[in-house]
Amino acid sequence: MEEHNKLQPEFRVLVLLASIGFFMQALDTTIIFTALPAIAESLNENPLDIHGVVIGYVLAVAGGIPLSGWLADKFGLRNTYFAAILIFTAASLGCGFSHNLNQLIGFRILQGFGGALLMPVARLSLLKIVPRTQFVSAISTMNISGLIGPLIGPALGGWIVKSTTWHWVFWVNVPIGLIGLFFTLKVMPNIIEEKVKPFDLSGFILLLITMVGIVLGIEMASSPEFSTSLIISLLVASICAALTYAYHAHLHEQALFRADLFKNRLFTIGILGNLFARLGGNSLPFLLPLMLQIGFGIEPLMAGLMMTPLVLGSLFSKPITRPIIQSLGYRRFLIINSVLVGLCIASFSLTSIETPIWFRALHFFIFGILNSLQFVAMNSLTLSELSAQQASSGNSFLSIIMMLSMSVGIALAGTLLNVFMDVYAHSASIDAFHSTLLCLGAINIITAFIFSKISNRSE
């Protein structure tokens, strides 16, 4: 039986192809963090003001997720996956050739849209082609590539900046993408669904307005270039779009995410918890390399290597997550762990240039464990009581919330950082970083209140 479940040779190339897309998307999310100061210097920008390069990418990923499954069903797996890799690769080339910040952000948004299609369509191709008996093995193999990307991304970004120029942080995707394009044409069948329901374009636009309005409103809050009325208008438009979508989801059968999805109490609590509890954890891979380089004067390669224990901590947590949750129950575990993650985020404010490397590595490792435990517990709680009919829609909405939370978290971290820079009159950048970390840690601790609403029967 075990031999029967192993991945057969005829499916290995397809799994390798899916892994290429997964790897490209996972790598590109993290490789840029250590390169931001070098990019800012090259483009004559303040390194604290270019987080739009990250936010634009992540927000585009969030926005493109609802489209991925529909495009694959409508135009076929091979055509959609080929287009995804082509867009991602061409946009990566454009990022490297950008001469100013606006060009770079524009190509990053295009790159993010390609990235939004890569992972869902790769997973869908395995689901539709690989036999059920070998599906778990195929997904596990593909997931390894998704872990390698974040593991090597920060250090690779630092090494590229030190050895060549920041442009290669994006151009490294080009040869990988060309290989992916070749194999897509060779091995992936173009499976098209006969009946595809109409795409909910109006709901999609409302969701985009909601996400873009929130993120832009927060990002603009610390910039004197934008008026208070514009910022308030964006946030109000975002709230109005969200309320309109709630009404739309209640009335329309073809809505992307039906209103009855949120009648499930655990799903609603899990979504709210994911949104707020990820703000700090998702912003730290952006914030910490900046603090190490700008605040402590550590070179990019070393700053990238210092982020590796964070990913190793995440890997270490995988086998212990289920036993801990089973022992404590979701409610107790998420309350305790939310506080621990918040305290750990805040404790980064106690570090200084004199902090020994071994202690910093241990600190990052512990945070990686706690953060991964939090994410896995929140995800499994959110989806735990959904019906088979709701599972796909619920999982897609959760994926959007995860990306939205990352965008908001980085925008919030950048805004807080700029506000505290003004408070300290740019004379104490370390204090600005430390104050930002304290605020983000406090948000995570407060999030424990959301998880306290989990009923005891879910223990």
Side-chain angles (χ1 to χ4, degrees):
M1 183 69 176
E2 186 178 336
E3 197 68 32
H4 182 61
N5 289 336
K6 284 185 179 178
L7 198 60
Q8 297 302 309
E10 62 265 32
F11 300 114
R12 287 176 186 166
V13 179
L14 179 67
V15 173
L16 175 63
L17 175 59
S19 299
I20 288 174
F22 210 3
F23 174 77
M24 288 173 72
Q25 207 280 336
L27 177 68
D28 217 71
T29 305
T30 57
I31 194 174
I32 193 173
F33 289 132
T34 43
L36 285 176
I39 294 173
E41 184 181 0
S42 174
L43 299 179
N44 296 314
E45 298 282 348
N46 185 334
L48 304 183
D49 292 335
I50 68 162
H51 47 281
V53 173
V54 181
I55 294 170
Y57 176 84
V58 177
L59 200 54
V61 172
I65 288 173
L67 270 171
S68 59
W70 185 85
L71 288 173
D73 289 343
K74 181 75 174 177
F75 299 104
L77 280 175
R78 184 180 63 222
N79 290 344
T80 306
Y81 199 63
F82 185 89
I85 297 178
L86 183 62
I87 292 169
F88 192 92
T89 305
S92 298
L93 199 62
C95 286
F97 282 116
S98 297
H99 296 295
N100 57 59
L101 183 59
N102 289 334
Q103 286 181 7
L104 181 56
I105 291 175
F107 280 115
R108 283 287 283 173
I109 292 171
L110 184 62
Q111 192 185 38
F113 178 71
L117 304 181
L118 282 174
M119 284 198 291
V121 177
R123 194 180 290 114
L124 186 63
S125 68
L126 299 186
L127 185 64
K128 288 189 174 185
I129 299 169
V130 177
R132 286 290 176 272
T133 54
Q134 299 169 53
F135 182 69
V136 173
S137 177
I139 285 290
S140 299
T141 303
M142 187 183 78
N143 284 341
I144 292 173
S145 65
L147 294 173
I148 293 173
L151 183 63
I152 68 172
L156 180 60
W159 178 80
I160 287 173
V161 168
K162 182 180 179 181
S163 303
T164 57
T165 66
W166 64 267
H167 308 82
W168 285 97
V169 167
F170 302 106
W171 289 341
V172 71
N173 293 316
V174 176
I176 303 172
L178 292 175
I179 294 170
L181 290 172
F182 174 78
F183 279 105
T184 300
L185 295 176
K186 284 287 184 181
V187 305
M188 184 174 283
N190 195 41
I191 299 174
I192 300 175
E193 295 296 322
E194 292 183 7
K195 294 181 180 179
V196 181
K197 65 180 183 180
F199 184 69
D200 179 21
L201 183 60
S202 56
F204 177 67
I205 292 172
L206 287 170
L207 286 176
L208 280 183
I209 293 171
T210 301
M211 292 188 290
V212 172
I214 291 173
V215 174
L216 284 183
I218 294 172
E219 188 182 6
M220 290 176 177
S222 66
S223 177
E225 299 174 22
F226 304 103
S227 65
T228 304
S229 58
L230 175 61
I231 294 167
I232 292 173
S233 298
L234 281 169
L235 294 175
V236 169
S238 177
I239 294 169
C240 290
L243 293 173
T244 306
Y245 181 82
Y247 180 74
H248 170 83
H250 183 74
L251 289 182
H252 292 265
E253 287 294 328
Q254 303 299 332
L256 285 171
F257 306 104
R258 293 279 297 143
D260 58 2
L261 194 62
F262 302 93
K263 292 178 181 177
N264 185 300
R265 180 178 170 82
L266 270 188
F267 179 78
T268 303
I269 291 173
I271 288 296
L272 286 173
N274 265 282
L275 180 59
F276 290 102
R278 288 176 178 271
L279 295 178
N282 280 334
S283 64
L284 254 60
F286 155 76
L287 196 60
L288 291 178
L290 276 183
M291 185 174 75
L292 292 173
Q293 294 179 73
I294 297 172
F296 298 153
I298 295 172
E299 65 174 19
L301 176 57
M302 182 56 69
L305 289 171
M306 285 181 178
M307 299 301 294
T308 304
L310 196 153
V311 184
L312 293 176
S314 175
L315 295 176
F316 176 82
S317 73
K318 300 300 180 188
I320 64 173
T321 304
R322 184 181 293 274
I324 293 176
I325 294 174
Q326 288 176 339
S327 174
L328 295 175
Y330 279 116
R331 184 177 185 274
R332 192 179 308 144
F333 172 78
L334 283 169
I335 291 173
I336 294 171
N337 204 65
S338 295
V339 174
L340 290 177
V341 171
L343 290 173
C344 195
I345 292 171
S347 69
F348 282 108
S349 66
L350 302 175
T351 60
S352 67
I353 187 62
E354 287 83 22
T355 302
I357 290 180
W358 68 266
F359 184 83
R360 207 186 295 277
L362 179 63
H363 199 173
F364 284 18
F365 182 75
I366 291 171
F367 175 73
I369 294 174
L370 293 174
N371 209 37
S372 179
L373 287 171
Q374 184 83 3
F375 288 178
V376 172
M378 290 190 301
N379 291 355
S380 54
L381 169 81
T382 305
L383 304 175
S384 61
E385 290 189 354
L386 294 184
S387 65
Q389 293 78 16
Q390 294 174 321
S392 177
S393 179
N395 187 56
S396 294
F397 192 77
L398 175 60
S399 298
I400 291 172
I401 291 297
M402 288 161 59
M403 292 293 106
L404 175 62
S405 181
M406 186 174 183
S407 302
V408 173
I410 293 172
L412 181 62
T415 297
L416 288 171
L417 194 54
N418 280 305
V419 167
F420 285 120
M421 282 289 185
D422 290 337
V423 169
Y424 296 115
H426 294 268
S427 59
S429 64
I430 296 298
D431 291 336
F433 278 104
H434 286 173
S435 298
T436 301
L437 288 164
L438 287 171
C439 289
L440 293 171
I443 292 171
N444 216 92
I445 292 171
I446 294 170
T447 305
F449 175 76
I450 295 175
F451 297 118
S452 70
K453 300 302 178 182
I454 300 171
S455 62
N456 289 325
R457 66 182 178 83
S458 300
E459 292 289 319

